[in-house]
Amino acid sequence: MRRNTHLITTIFLLLLISLQETSIQGYEDSAARNLKQELGEAHEVHCSRERSRAAWDIIEEYLMPFVEQEQYQISSKCRLHPDNDMFRDQEKHKIHVDINEWRCGYCKKSFRAEKFLDQHFDNRHYNLLNVSHSKCLADLCGALHCDFVMKSKSSKSKCNPAAVARNRHLCESFANSCFPINQGPSASRLHELFLRQFCDAHTCPGKAKPFPKGGKKQTSILYLAVSILILMLLPIFYLIVFLYQREMRRGTQELRRISRVGQKTKPS
């Protein structure tokens, strides 16, 4: 009887220890999950945010000014349309407060560099990404010359005819789908411009430079500085001219008085 009681007590103690260990393990797992959530567990996105940003900057600078000039509406089926960029909404919610301060437009949290804000978007606002098919703007980089803009490829690198032909074909497909020549004069002009602006540079050897038509006109910093300097110096210049003219008039009046005093009276 005593032996059975001892056995039951031992089994009970083992069960109690097992339950305690399970509870501790569950607590540790829960704590680990909470810690991962707190630190932000990055979601894997098979699309380069950096290259997508470069592609959009190229579209905005070297294509959109001409599209706006023609007052042409790009179809949402066109891969160049803003809706086909999974990062577009997040990029719009970036607030560049200062050189070392970037702010999230969703939760107002601040970061000291853009790359940290990008990580925050990946960790905390992943659910706001449009991750459906054909939404990765980085896939267009071959046609849009992202490497040229990002300077990620050496100018001395050997030209690959197969890659160049593939990128040219992709580029021409964008011209055909986004600006069909049967959609009117504006579409026809933009179709021709897109070929000249982007597609003609896909050649071996790569002597032709992309974007020969130019892009968005940006105010030069030097021009802006000179304009501000002129506006500041202009009042000083007018003040100097005013003082000089006043001194000239005063000197003329004094000379007249002296000449009158120096005149001799005629004898009667």
Side-chain angles (χ1 to χ4, degrees), residues 1 17 26 35 38 58 71 73 100 116 144-145 150 154 164 166 193 221 226 253:
M1 184 67 180
I17 292 170
L35 182 61
E38 184 67 27
I58 291 169
Q71 297 182 348
Q73 294 293 327
N100 295 321
F116 298 125
L144 298 178
H145 307 281
M150 299 171 69
S154 174
V164 167
R166 185 168 60 252
L193 179 134
I221 297 176
V226 171
Q253 290 174 359

Side-chain angles (χ1 to χ4, degrees), residues 18-37:
S18 177
L19 288 172
Q20 187 175 3
E21 287 179 352
T22 303
S23 177
I24 292 171
Q25 182 66 33
Y27 175 77
E28 289 177 350
D29 291 342
S30 177
R33 284 194 299 270
N34 291 336
L35 182 61
K36 285 183 180 180
Q37 187 176 4

Side-chain angles (χ1 to χ4, degrees), residues 249-263:
R249 286 196 296 269
R250 183 179 299 173
T252 304
Q253 290 174 359
E254 288 177 356
L255 286 173
R256 286 176 181 175
R257 291 195 194 100
I258 292 171
S259 62
R260 287 177 183 174
V261 170
Q263 285 180 356

Side-chain angles (χ1 to χ4, degrees), residues 233-247:
L233 294 178
L234 202 58
I236 299 174
F237 172 76
Y238 281 119
L239 180 61
I240 293 172
V241 171
F242 171 75
L243 293 174
Y244 175 76
Q245 290 179 346
R246 192 176 69 172
E247 289 296 324

Side-chain angles (χ1 to χ4, degrees), residues 82-98:
D83 290 347
N84 292 321
D85 176 16
M86 69 166 65
F87 301 111
R88 185 75 350 237
D89 188 68
Q90 288 188 351
E91 290 293 319
K92 287 180 180 179
H93 282 79
K94 283 183 177 179
I95 304 172
H96 194 184
V97 181
D98 202 351

Side-chain angles (χ1 to χ4, degrees), residues 42-88:
H43 297 271
E44 188 176 2
V45 178
H46 299 285
C47 181
S48 170
R49 183 187 291 270
E50 184 181 8
R51 291 179 69 80
S52 294
R53 186 185 301 129
W56 177 251
D57 288 342
I58 291 169
I59 293 170
E60 194 173 36
E61 182 167 355
Y62 297 107
L63 177 63
M64 286 306 176
F66 301 100
V67 174
E68 292 170 2
Q69 184 179 340
E70 292 288 347
Q71 297 182 348
Y72 183 82
Q73 294 293 327
I74 297 179
S75 171
S76 58
K77 296 180 180 179
C78 170
R79 291 289 302 277
L80 306 172
H81 194 278
D83 290 347
N84 292 321
D85 176 16
M86 69 166 65
F87 301 111
R88 185 75 350 237

